[in-house]
Amino acid sequence: MSLANAPDPEVRKSIVKQDLGNVLHPIVQHKVLENRQMVVSHAQGSTVFDADGTSYLDAMAGLWCVNIGYGRVELADVAAEQLRQLAYFPHTAMNAPAAALAEKVNGLMGGGYHTYFVNSGSEANEAGFKIARQYMKHEYPGHYRYKTITRYFAYHGTTLATLDAGGMGERKGKFEPYSGDFVHVAPPHCYRCPFGLSYPSCGLACVKNMETTILGEGPDSVAEVLVEPIMSGIGVAVPPDEYLPEVEGLCRKYGILLHVDEVINGFGRTGKMFGHQHYGISPDVMAIAKGISSAYMPIAATMVKNSVFQSFYGEASENRQVGQVNTYGGHPVAAAVALRNIEIIEAERLADRSAEMGAYLLDGLRTLMRHEVVGDVRGKGLLLGVELVKDRTSKEPVGPEQIAATADFCRDKGLLVGRAGGRGYGNTITLSPPLVITRAECDQIVDTLDRALATLDLG
Ligand SMILES: Cc1ncc(COP(=O)(O)O)c(C=O)c1O
């Protein structure tokens, strides 16, 4: 059944009925879904279509992931061809697409990495934790280096360990208690500096806080520091330029691995192929997902520097091999699709385009500061946030009703935006559109938000 060409209200109704009777949806309240749903039927470029024929400019690229945009039919051909050739075999053996993809992402890092394949960003971070711990067991026999230093208000995934690694109380609360292996420090969020300071006179208090924590925990109990270069879940926070180099300095000083989460930042999202490349740091462990395939297939990976890889290399009798496995890791179809996706990102210079369009969109969003309710506009490349406050001086966030009203207004006008923000506020409108977004579409985003905020100002 194709709904692409001829919207049929009866077909849509039957899908809604089937869904409500059978599906358990993530993170949305079913009572809300009963009153209002999207039934996505097809998509092209940056636009998605409901089965009732309504079109939406998707300013979130799904869940921050459809980097090359929708409707790339050539990826269907790649998948079909690979399905005919070899649909699956466990990655204890080798297959051509996964080998080529590993070489491709290694090349994007300038060489020096090996790649372990998984299926989601959560798994990529989770595998990273385990690789860091196992590495420490190899390198420091008799010691117990297992902790991950991570930041409050970060998001790193949905499994118990990645949720624990994240620092979002409102998301974690329902599943407590956790293991306690993840130790949280203050994030580099200058608009809401946890120390009440201002950059640069703060002297990067957030890095000092991290060092104090490492010392307090005991460096020889710490395996790794986990950072998302530009934090997205907090409502998009771009750190000061020196922040990540100084964090890397701490890792080197105390013999701790630097684990970088590029799940959202990666594959052109921030205007470079990887977010950390803005800051000249060199991850020891790196999680990649989302943009690796632009979500055309579920695939993700944990990349490890060759110095880490070496620790897993030896005689079979030494039992140093990676101590984990997953059924679908290195899936040939997903790998083939991801490889072609990256080739498209490269051929169309989408990281450069992200920088250019991101700067254009950021300029447009800054004009929204004329609304009193806009406290801050920030971002890098096409990873952007517009934070809404009741009062610019106190920075008191707008309530959930107002942020919902803003997002709903946009949706009613055919624009899908996201919402995020640390400290449970969720008061930042987030934008992370496909990297193929046009100037006219950027103008549409600004114009629609402008109208949405005008109604809030009046309210
Ligand atoms: C920064 C970051 N890390 C990890 C994840 C987890 O990825 P997944 O949802 O594919 O498990 C996400 C998901 O949004 C993310 O934003």
Side-chain angles (χ1 to χ4, degrees), residues 390 397-406 419 424-427:
K390 287 185 181 155
V398 295
E401 315 77 35
Q402 284 151 310
I403 200 83
T406 308
R419 302 175 230 175
Y425 299 158
N427 64 316

Side-chain angles (χ1 to χ4, degrees), residues 63-64 119-123 125 155-158 162 228 232-233 261-265 289-290 300:
L63 270 180
W64 331 69
N119 312 293
S120 68
S122 304
E123 274 182 86
N125 278 322
Y155 183 72
H156 293 294
T158 191
T162 53
E228 181 186 22
S232 33
D261 180 339
E262 289 277 356
V263 170
I264 285 180
N265 281 206
K290 299 194 190 260

Side-chain angles (χ1 to χ4, degrees), residues 158-440:
T158 191
T159 60
L160 271 180
T162 53
L163 206 52
D164 193 5
M168 296 180 157
E170 74 278 13
R171 287 211 187 201
K172 298 169 73 164
K174 288 181 177 167
F175 315 107
E176 284 169 336
Y178 294 93
S179 68
D181 299 349
F182 297 88
V183 182
H184 295 82
V185 298
H189 188 11
C190 296
Y191 180 68
R192 293 187 179 277
C193 175
F195 305 99
L197 300 171
S198 299
Y199 176 77
S201 58
C202 62
L204 289 188
C206 44
V207 178
K208 295 199 173 87
N209 169 247
M210 185 180 279
E211 181 161 24
T212 304
T213 305
I214 292 170
L215 289 170
E217 292 293 326
D220 59 3
S221 72
V222 178
E224 57 164 16
V225 167
L226 170 62
V227 288
E228 181 186 22
I230 294 163
M231 295 175 75
S232 33
I234 201 170
V236 184
V238 182
D241 284 346
E242 310 92 305
Y243 175 80
L244 285 168
E246 290 206 13
V247 167
E248 181 180 47
L250 290 183
C251 290
R252 305 298 168 236
K253 183 171 170 185
Y254 295 109
I256 294 167
L257 294 177
L258 177 59
H259 174 164
V260 175
D261 180 339
E262 289 277 356
V263 170
I264 285 180
N265 281 206
F267 300 97
R269 172 57 54 204
T270 70
K272 288 193 186 284
M273 192 55 81
F274 296 112
H276 74 267
Q277 291 171 338
H278 291 285
Y279 305 102
I281 60 167
S282 172
D284 300 307
V285 175
M286 186 166 102
I288 51 177
K290 299 194 190 260
I292 188 175
S293 68
S294 292
Y296 277 74
M297 276 281 163
I299 180 169
T302 312
M303 299 180 69
V304 298
K305 206 184 253 180
N306 282 349
S307 52
V308 176
F309 169 76
Q310 278 306 322
S311 183
F312 292 79
Y313 184 79
E315 300 302 328
S317 58
E318 290 177 81
N319 197 23
R320 300 176 78 85
Q321 65 277 6
V322 166
Q324 50 187 317
V325 62
N326 65 94
T327 303
Y328 301 123
H331 196 286
V333 181
V337 168
L339 181 61
R340 181 63 62 85
N341 163 70
I342 296 171
E343 286 166 359
I344 291 172
I345 291 174
E346 290 182 308
E348 297 182 11
R349 303 176 61 84
L350 292 184
D352 292 344
R353 188 185 169 88
S354 170
E356 188 193 322
M357 283 299 150
Y360 179 73
L361 183 52
L362 187 62
D363 275 352
L365 294 173
R366 285 198 172 120
T367 65
L368 301 177
M369 291 293 290
R370 67 171 164 265
H371 298 284
E372 277 301 311
V373 74
V374 177
D376 194 28
V377 174
R378 51 184 182 254
K380 222 180 195 31
L382 284 168
L383 182 56
L384 300 157
V386 178
E387 179 156 354
L388 305 185
V389 293
K390 287 185 181 155
D391 176 89
R392 279 188 183 162
T393 311
S394 69
K395 299 184 182 173
E396 186 187 345
V398 295
E401 315 77 35
Q402 284 151 310
I403 200 83
T406 308
D408 288 349
F409 179 100
C410 291
R411 179 167 140 164
D412 289 343
K413 305 292 178 219
L415 172 69
L416 303 178
V417 298
R419 302 175 230 175
R423 304 183 192 188
Y425 299 158
N427 64 316
T428 300
I429 294 290
T430 54
L431 301 163
S432 171
L435 310 185
V436 294
I437 192 166
T438 63
R439 274 177 187 250

Side-chain angles (χ1 to χ4, degrees), residues 122-143:
S122 304
E123 274 182 86
N125 278 322
E126 185 101 21
F129 306 150
K130 291 163 74 187
I131 284 170
R133 289 180 185 206
Q134 193 183 338
Y135 169 89
M136 290 299 173
K137 289 219 159 148
H138 295 168
E139 299 304 311
Y140 300 90
H143 290 247

